[in-house]
C-alpha cells in the first residue's frame, strides 16, 4: 500500500493513520493503536510509526494517509516514496503512565546559530511539556514541527523495564532524565558501501587514532593539536569517507561551507564566521554531549586560498585575505583554549592553501587518500554492482578485466561507470554483460584525464601485429613485461623495473608501434607527446606541460609515457655550454627531474608494478640525445630497432597477406629477397601500391597478383634506407650496447 503524508489532508491531530474502510474492517476497528511498518522505496530496512487507525473517507483504493511523528528511527530521505509493509495491532488495554523516562535531544545542525539562545537550563521541563501530547513506545523517536521551531531535530526515547507491546504517556509526575544532547547527523550512513576497501581502511585507521587522542584529551589537561587535513583528488571519496566515519562514531558534526560565508557587504562574512565558532564553543561548554565535537570544513582551499600576487591585491583578494585572517585567528583561539574540538578539513590540492594555514599548531597533519589499486577498484566495482544490480551476478573474470581497464579512475568515476552499466543492463537486456561493459568503458573518461589537456588513451596493438623482430620482442618481454606479470619472480632475483627505454633505429621501423604494443601487453595507459605539442611561445609553459604530463601519468599508473623524436624535443647540450634561456635545456632539466622522481631502481620496495611509470623514447638520431638521459637509472635500456632482415620482411609480407587479398601466385620469398634495405613502412607502402596497381589494371579485380608487386618494384618502389645508414646504427649499438 502507498502511504501519503497525513498533513496533505489533515494538519490538526498527529499520530493517525487513515486507511481505506475495507482494509480497516479486515484488520481491526476504528480507534485501534498499531505499529505501521514501512520502508523507503529502494531500501529494505523496516521502520515503524505508532499511530491510531481510522477509516478514510471517500472511495476505496490502495492509498492511505500516514503520520510518522513517533517512529523507530529517523528517515533520512524525506523525498523518498514510502511503502507500507505491515500493520501490527497493539493490545487493547489502557495506556501506561511512565514513572521515569530517559530522553536524548538531537539538535538540528542547520540552526547552530541559535544554540547561544537555546534554553538548556529548562530542557527537562520543555521535554515534559512537549512529550505529553504523544503516545510512545520503547526505543522510539519523536518528530514534531514544534521541535523544529526551537532547533530540535528529534527527541529519542528510552523506556527501560517495560513491555515492547505497550503504549506509554508522559505526565506531570514523570521523572525526565536527559541521557545525551547531540547534533543530528544529516548523513545517510547507508550510502558509502566502500568503507572497508583497503585504500579507505588506511585513512580510517588514521581517523581512529585522531578520535582516540581526542577522547584521551577530553579526560586530561594535556593539550594536543588534532586538526587534520584530508587530501585527495576530485571524486576520490574523501568527504563520503569522513562523513561515514563520523556517522558511525556518533560524533557531533558542525559543517562549515565556504558558500555559506559569501555575503554582500564587507565584514558580514567575518561576522558569520565568528558566530559559527561562537556557537560551536557554546555547545561544547554548555551541553554535556557524549560524542566528540567535530568541525568539518569542506573544500578549505576556497576559504584559505594562497595569494598568488601579494604585491598587488585586488578587491577580491583583499576580502579573501581578510576572511583568511579572521579564520586563522579563530583557529588559534580554539587551539589555545582547553576545549576538545576536533577540526577536519578536506581539499583536493594542499599546495593551493595559504602557508599560514599549514604551519605547526594549525593543520600540520595530513591524511592522504591515495590512488586506487587494481584490487581496490575490483572491490569497489563489485560492491557497487551488488547494490545497483542485486539480481545480476558478474563473473570474477569480468570484474578482474574491468579493474585492469580502469587505471586512474577514482570512486566517483567507478560509480558513474556502474550507473551506466546499470542503465544499459535495463535498456539492452538482450546483450551480454561483456558487450555492455565494453560499451560503457568506451564512453568513460576518468577525472584525472578530464581535468588535463594531456592525451591519455588505451592502446590495442600487440606484438603479434609486428612481423619478425623476435629478438627484440624477447628482450622487451624479459626486461619489462616479466616484471609486471611475474612480480614475485623479479623480487626473488632482486630486480627492479626500468624507468626508461630508448628505442633507436632507422625511420619507418615500427618504433612507435613497438611502444604502443608494449603498453597493451603490459596493460598500461598510454600517453604520447612530441615537440609540436610541448613547445609554446610563452616562457615556462613547455616545462609546465611536461610536469603535468608526468603528474597525469602518476594518476593513471601503471602508465607508459612515449616521447617521440626525443632528439628534436630535447637535443644534446653543447660541450662548451649553452644559454640558460634555451628552452631545450630547460625541458631537459624538467624531464631529468621528473624521471628521478619515478618509483624505480631507488624505490623503497624495489618493485611496484601497480604504480609503475615507464618512459619510452624513440629517435632516429641517438647520437643527439644528451648523455644525462642515457645513463643507467634513467633510460636503462638502449634498444636498437633495426631495419627488417629477410625473415622479418617475410613475416611482414605474410601479415599483410592475411589482411589483403594476395593471389596464390604471389611469391613472398622472392618479394622478401627483392626488398633488401626496405623498412617496415616501405613494405607497407609496397603492398598498398600493388593493390592500387591491381585496381587500375582491372576495376573488377579481386586479388593482388605477383605481377603487380614486380611492376611496382621495377617502376616506383624503392628503399628509403641506404646500407651506410643501416650500418651506422649497428656501429652505434656496438659502442653503446647495454
Amino acid at each position: 500500500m502507498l502511504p501519503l503524508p497525513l498533513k496533505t489532508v489533515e494538519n490538526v491531530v498527529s499520530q493517525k493513520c487513515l486507511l481505506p474502510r475495507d482494509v480497516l474492517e479486515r484488520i481491526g476497528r476504528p480507534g485501534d493503536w498499531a505499529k505501521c511498518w514501512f520502508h523507503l522505496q529502494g531500501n529494505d530496512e523496516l521502520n515503524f510509526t505508532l499511530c491510531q487507525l481510522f477509516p478514510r473517507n471517500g472511495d476505496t483504493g490502495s492509498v492511505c494517509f500516514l503520520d510518522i511523528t513517533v517512529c523507530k528511527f529517523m528517515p533520512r530521505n524525506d523525498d523518498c516514496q514510502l511503502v507500507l509493509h505491515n500493520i501490527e495491532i497493539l493490545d487493547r488495554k489502557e495506556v501506561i503512565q511512565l514513572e521515569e523516562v530517559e530522553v536524548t535531544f538531537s539538535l538540528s545542525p542547520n540552526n547552530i546559530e541559535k544554540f547561544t539562545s537555546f534554553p538548556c537550563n529548562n530542557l527537562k521541563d520543555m521535554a515534559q511539556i512537549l512529550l505529553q501530547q504523544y503516545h510512545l513506545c520503547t526505543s522510539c523517536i519523536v518528530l514534531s514541527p514544534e521541535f523544529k521551531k526551537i532547533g530540535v531535530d528529534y527527541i529519542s526515547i528510552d523506556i527501560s523495564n517495560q513491555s515492547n507491546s505497550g503504549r506509554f504517556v508522559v505526565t506531570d509526575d514523570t521523572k525526565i532524565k536527559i541521557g545525551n544532547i547531540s547534533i543530528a547527523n544529516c548523513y545517510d550512513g547507508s550510502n558509502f558501501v566502500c568503507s572497508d576497501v583497503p585504500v579507505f581502511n588506511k585513512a580510517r585507521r588514521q581517523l581512529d587514532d585522531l578520535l582516540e587522542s581526542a577522547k584521551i584529551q577530553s579526560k586530561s589537561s594535556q593539550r594536543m593539536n588534532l586538526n587534520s587535513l584530508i587530501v585527495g583528488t576530485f571524486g576520490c571519496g574523501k568527504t563520503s569517507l569522513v562523513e561515514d566515519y563520523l556517522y558511525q562514531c556518533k560524533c557531533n558534526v558542525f559543517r562549515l561551507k565556504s558558500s555559506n560565508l559569501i555575503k554582500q557587504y564587507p565584514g558580514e562574512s567575518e561576522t558569520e564566521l565568528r558566530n559559527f565558532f561562537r556557537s560551536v564553543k557554546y555547545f561544547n561548554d554548555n551541553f554535556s554531549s557524549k560524542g566528540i565535537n567535530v568541525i568539518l570544513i569542506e573544500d578549505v582551499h576556497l576559504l584559505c586560498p594562497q595569494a598568488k600576487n601579494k604585491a598587488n591585491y585586488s578587491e577580491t583578494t583583499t576580502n579573501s585575505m581578510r576572511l583568511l585572517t579572521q579564520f586563522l585567528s579563530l583557529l588559534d583561539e580554539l587551539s589555545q583554549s582547553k576545549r576538545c574540538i576536533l577540526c577536519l578539513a578536506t581539499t583536493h590540492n594542499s599546495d593551493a592553501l595559504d602557508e599560514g594555514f599549514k604551519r605547526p599548531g594549525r593543520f600540520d597533519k595530513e591524511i592522504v587518500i591515495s590512488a586506487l589499486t587494481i584490487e581496490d577498484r575490483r572491490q569497489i566495482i563489485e560492491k557497487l554492482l551488488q547494490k545497483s544490480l542485486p539480481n545480476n551476478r558478474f563473473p570474477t573474470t569480468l570484474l578482474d578485466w574491468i579493474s585492469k581497464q580502469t587505471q586512474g579512475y577514482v570512486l566517483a568515476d567507478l560509480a558513474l561507470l556502474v550507473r551506466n552499466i546499470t542503465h544499459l543492463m535495463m535498456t539492452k537486456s538482450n546483450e551480454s554483460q561483456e558487450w555492455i561493459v565494453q560499451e560503457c568503458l568506451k564512453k568513460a573518461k576518468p577525472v584525472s584525464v578530464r581535468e588535463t589537456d594531456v592525451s591519455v588513451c588505451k592502446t590495442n596493438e600487440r606484438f603479434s601485429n609486428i612481423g619478425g623482430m623476435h629478438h627484440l620482442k624477447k628482450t622487451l618481454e624479459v626486461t619489462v613485461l616479466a616484471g609486471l606479470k611475474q612480480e614475485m619472480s623479479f623480487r626473488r632475483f632482486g630486480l627492479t623495473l626500468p624507468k626508461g627505454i630508448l628505442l633507436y633505429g632507422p625511420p619507418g621501423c615500427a618504433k612507435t608501434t613497438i611502444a604502443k604494443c608494449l603498453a597493451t601487453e603490459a596493460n598500461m595507459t598510454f600517453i604520447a607527446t612530441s615537440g609540436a605539442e610541448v613547445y609554446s611561445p610563452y616562457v615556462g609553459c613547455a616545462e609546465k606541460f611536461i610536469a603535468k604530463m608526468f603528474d597525469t601519468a602518476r594518476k593513471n599508473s601503471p602508465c607508459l609515457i612515449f616521447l617521440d623524436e626525443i632528439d628534436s624535443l630535447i637535443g644534446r647540450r653543447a660541450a662548451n655550454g649553452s644559454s640558460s634561456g634555451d628552452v631545450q635545456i630547460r625541458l631537459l632539466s624538467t624531464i631529468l627531474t621528473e624521471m628521478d622522481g619515478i618509483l624505480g631502481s631507488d624505490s623503497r620496495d624495489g618493485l611496484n608494478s601497480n604504480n609503475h611509470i615507464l618512459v619510452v623514447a624513440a629517435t632516429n638520431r641517438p647520437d643527439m640525445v644528451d648523455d644525462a638521459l642515457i645513463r643507467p637509472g634513467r633510460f636503462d635500456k638502449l634498444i636498437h630497432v633495426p631495419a627488417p632482415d629477410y625473415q622479418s620482411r617475410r613475416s611482414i609480407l605474410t601479415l599483410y597477406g592475411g589482411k589483403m587479398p594476395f593471389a596464390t601466385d604471389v611469391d613472398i620469398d622472392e618479394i622478401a629477397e627483392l626488398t633488401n634495405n626496405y623498412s617496415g613502412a616501405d613494405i607497407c607502402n609496397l603492398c598498398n601500391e600493388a593493390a592500387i596497381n591491381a585496381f587500375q589494371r582491372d576495376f573488377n579485380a579481386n586479388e593482388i597478383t605477383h605481377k603487380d608487386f614486380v611492376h611496382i618494384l621495377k617502376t616506383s618502389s624503392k628503399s628509403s634506407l641506404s646500407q651506410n645508414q643501416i650500418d651506422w646504427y649497428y656501429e652505434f649499438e656496438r659502442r653503446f650496447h647495454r
Side-chain angles (χ1 to χ4, degrees):
M1 186 175 293
L2 178 67
L4 296 177
L6 178 67
K7 60 185 179 182
T8 58
V9 294
E10 183 176 335
N11 200 22
V12 179
V13 181
S14 59
Q15 288 192 265
K16 288 176 62 176
C17 177
L18 302 182
L19 290 170
R21 190 175 298 275
D22 57 336
V23 175
L24 181 58
E25 290 176 352
R26 291 198 303 268
I27 62 175
R29 61 191 182 190
D32 282 345
W33 283 88
K35 287 184 178 180
C36 296
W37 294 87
F38 66 91
H39 63 87
L40 300 179
Q41 196 171 37
N43 187 351
D44 295 333
E45 187 176 12
L46 286 179
N47 194 353
F48 71 77
T49 177
L50 184 64
C51 54
Q52 197 171 13
L53 305 180
F54 292 98
R56 173 189 157 196
N57 296 326
D59 57 342
T60 60
S62 60
V63 175
C64 68
F65 294 93
L66 186 66
D67 178 75
I68 56 173
T69 298
V70 178
C71 55
K72 181 180 179 182
F73 58 85
M74 184 175 181
R76 292 294 172 184
N77 192 348
D78 297 334
D79 299 330
C80 191
Q81 181 65 60
L82 301 180
V83 178
L84 191 61
H85 185 267
N86 185 29
I87 297 177
E88 177 188 349
I89 303 295
L90 299 181
D91 294 338
R92 297 182 177 94
K93 58 182 180 180
E94 293 184 0
V95 64
I96 303 172
Q97 296 182 0
L98 289 171
E99 296 180 359
E100 182 179 354
V101 63
E102 181 177 309
V103 299
T104 297
F105 283 84
S106 294
L107 307 184
S108 175
N110 300 322
N111 295 316
I112 63 172
E113 67 277 0
K114 297 181 180 179
F115 288 172
T116 54
S117 59
F118 194 81
C120 56
N121 297 327
N122 301 320
L123 281 180
K124 292 184 179 180
D125 296 336
M126 184 175 64
Q128 195 154 33
I129 294 172
L130 292 175
L131 294 177
Q132 285 189 30
Q133 54 184 314
Y134 301 108
H135 287 248
L136 309 174
C137 60
T138 56
S139 301
C140 66
I141 67 168
V142 181
L143 307 167
S144 173
E146 298 178 1
F147 297 173
K148 295 283 187 180
K149 295 176 184 178
I150 59 174
V152 177
D153 218 23
Y154 60 89
I155 297 179
S156 300
I157 308 297
D158 185 11
I159 304 173
S160 58
N161 300 324
Q162 298 289 347
S163 171
N164 290 331
S165 60
R167 287 182 292 119
F168 312 96
V169 292
V170 174
T171 65
D172 291 336
D173 298 328
T174 303
K175 182 180 179 181
I176 303 294
K177 180 181 177 182
I178 304 296
N180 189 25
I181 302 174
S182 63
I183 300 295
N185 200 326
C186 58
Y187 173 75
D188 187 355
S190 62
N191 288 337
F192 194 65
V193 297
C194 310
S195 58
D196 57 345
V197 175
V199 69
F200 298 121
N201 264 338
K202 181 179 178 182
R204 288 179 72 92
R205 286 193 295 270
Q206 293 176 279
L207 289 172
D208 281 336
D209 294 339
L210 283 177
L211 211 61
E212 188 63 30
S213 300
K215 292 178 181 178
I216 295 173
Q217 180 175 305
S218 64
K219 300 176 182 179
S220 65
S221 59
Q222 187 179 3
R223 178 62 192 168
M224 297 176 289
N225 177 43
L226 302 177
N227 301 340
S228 294
L229 188 65
I230 293 90
V231 183
T233 188
F234 288 110
C236 71
K238 51 186 179 295
T239 302
S240 298
L241 169 68
V242 176
E243 291 275 19
D244 180 74
Y245 180 81
L246 297 178
Y247 176 81
Q248 298 295 336
C249 295
K250 295 181 170 56
C251 295
N252 300 314
V253 184
F254 301 89
R255 293 171 179 81
L256 178 61
K257 295 186 178 181
S258 303
S259 57
N260 296 338
L261 298 176
I262 300 175
K263 301 298 178 182
Q264 182 177 3
Y265 300 106
E268 286 188 327
S269 298
E270 293 89 311
T271 302
E272 188 75 18
L273 194 60
R274 287 194 296 270
N275 291 337
F276 175 84
F277 274 84
R278 185 184 300 115
S279 300
V280 174
K281 290 185 286 188
Y282 183 84
F283 179 87
N284 183 83
D285 297 341
N286 295 276
F287 296 90
S288 301
S289 179
K290 296 179 181 179
I292 298 296
N293 300 326
V294 179
I295 297 177
L296 178 59
I297 310 166
E298 297 182 33
D299 296 327
V300 72
H301 54 274
L302 300 178
L303 184 61
C304 304
Q306 189 176 38
K308 296 182 179 179
N309 186 5
K310 296 185 179 181
N312 185 21
Y313 288 141
S314 64
E315 182 180 355
T316 303
T317 307
T318 304
N319 294 336
S320 178
M321 293 303 297
R322 191 169 60 243
L323 186 60
L324 169 63
T325 304
Q326 178 68 82
F327 178 67
L328 296 181
S329 175
L330 291 169
L331 274 180
D332 292 340
E333 181 184 343
L334 192 64
S335 63
Q336 292 168 6
S337 66
K338 295 182 179 180
R339 300 179 179 93
C340 180
I341 300 176
L342 178 63
C343 291
L344 299 177
T346 64
T347 182
H348 71 275
N349 183 12
S350 60
D351 295 332
L353 292 167
D354 188 84
E355 294 87 348
F357 178 83
K358 296 186 292 182
R359 74 155 175 80
R362 287 175 181 162
F363 280 82
D364 51 0
K365 299 181 183 67
E366 285 191 8
I367 298 176
V368 180
I369 299 179
S370 55
L372 300 176
T373 63
I374 293 178
E375 184 59 29
D376 292 334
R377 296 195 296 270
R378 189 196 181 284
Q379 290 188 28
I380 292 173
I381 293 169
E382 184 177 14
K383 291 176 181 296
L384 292 176
L385 285 173
Q386 287 177 353
K387 183 179 180 182
S388 59
L389 296 169
N391 298 325
N392 288 271
R393 185 174 181 83
F394 284 73
T396 304
T397 53
L398 182 58
L399 293 174
D400 292 338
W401 183 81
I402 298 174
S403 63
K404 292 179 181 178
Q405 299 300 315
T406 51
Q407 293 102 325
Y409 280 57
V410 295
L411 181 62
D413 297 324
L414 296 177
L416 177 60
L417 176 64
V418 170
R419 285 199 297 271
N420 292 337
I421 292 175
T422 304
H423 175 71
L424 273 187
M425 289 286 288
M426 293 187 293
T427 56
K428 304 284 186 179
S429 56
N430 296 329
E431 300 290 345
S432 66
Q433 292 178 340
E434 291 77 7
W435 181 88
I436 290 174
V437 169
Q438 289 177 1
E439 288 298 311
C440 292
L441 282 173
K442 288 178 183 177
K443 302 175 183 178
K445 202 173 183 181
V447 171
S448 58
V449 175
R450 293 197 297 268
E451 66 184 13
T452 180
D453 52 357
V454 177
S455 177
V456 183
C457 63
K458 297 288 290 185
T459 56
N460 52 18
E461 289 89 347
R462 295 190 174 274
F463 284 141
S464 57
N465 302 127
I466 302 177
M469 299 186 182
H470 301 294
H471 177 72
L472 174 62
K473 294 176 184 177
K474 185 67 175 178
T475 301
L476 293 173
E477 287 176 357
V478 171
T479 57
V480 179
L481 298 180
L484 292 169
K485 296 180 179 180
Q486 304 292 332
E487 185 174 337
M488 296 308 298
S489 299
F490 249 50
R491 285 184 183 273
R492 189 167 60 249
F493 284 95
L495 297 173
T496 58
L497 295 173
K499 288 184 180 181
I501 297 175
L502 179 64
L503 303 175
Y504 66 91
C509 293
K511 294 186 289 296
T512 302
T513 306
I514 288 172
K516 292 180 179 179
C517 293
L518 190 59
T520 304
E521 298 287 347
N523 194 30
M524 289 179 160
T525 50
F526 186 76
I527 297 178
T529 190
S530 60
E533 190 176 8
V534 172
Y535 285 128
S536 170
Y538 303 103
V539 177
C541 285
E543 300 93 300
K544 186 177 180 180
F545 181 86
I546 292 294
K548 186 184 297 184
M549 181 177 64
F550 275 86
D551 183 60
T552 304
R554 293 184 187 96
K555 295 177 181 178
N556 293 274
S557 61
C559 182
L560 187 148
I561 298 176
F562 180 60
L563 306 176
D564 198 10
E565 302 294 342
I566 192 172
D567 55 295
S568 63
L569 178 65
I570 299 175
R572 186 183 184 89
R573 288 174 289 192
N576 58 352
S578 178
S579 171
S580 60
D582 190 352
V583 64
Q584 285 193 331
I585 303 303
R586 298 199 305 272
L587 280 176
L588 173 62
S589 176
T590 304
I591 290 180
L592 293 177
T593 303
E594 292 291 345
M595 290 192 69
D596 288 341
I598 295 175
L599 293 176
S601 58
D602 55 353
S603 171
R604 189 173 300 175
D605 296 331
L607 182 68
N608 194 338
S609 59
N610 286 330
N611 58 5
H612 184 64
I613 299 173
L614 178 66
V615 182
V616 178
T619 180
N620 302 326
R621 293 294 306 274
D623 58 318
M624 294 298 296
V625 180
D626 194 87
D627 293 338
L629 273 174
I630 59 177
R631 73 158 175 82
R634 286 171 182 157
F635 284 108
D636 304 89
K637 299 292 293 183
L638 273 63
I639 298 179
H640 178 203
V641 184
D645 55 11
Y646 169 78
Q647 289 296 336
S648 295
R649 294 195 299 272
R650 192 180 184 284
S651 298
I652 294 172
L653 288 168
T654 303
L655 283 175
Y656 276 97
K659 300 175 184 177
M660 306 175 76
F662 283 11
T664 55
D665 66 337
V666 175
D667 190 347
I668 291 179
D669 294 331
E670 181 182 347
I671 298 173
E673 288 285 354
L674 295 174
T675 53
N676 189 34
N677 293 345
Y678 271 57
S679 67
D682 294 334
I683 297 175
C684 174
N685 183 65
L686 171 65
C687 294
N688 290 335
E689 291 294 332
I692 292 174
N693 185 75
F695 180 71
Q696 290 177 340
R697 175 174 46 80
D698 183 5
F699 287 162
N700 296 320
N702 296 322
E703 295 178 327
I704 305 171
T705 64
H706 187 73
K707 291 182 179 180
D708 295 320
F709 281 99
V710 173
H711 175 75
I712 296 300
L713 285 169
K714 289 181 178 179
T715 57
S716 58
S717 178
K718 53 185 176 180
S719 172
S720 61
L721 305 176
S722 65
Q723 188 61 44
N724 291 335
Q725 203 174 358
I726 295 174
D727 293 340
W728 184 89
Y729 288 104
Y730 280 103
E731 178 63 27
F732 183 88
E733 181 183 11
R734 283 190 290 271
R735 287 188 287 120
F736 291 92
H737 179 69
R738 281 209 296 268

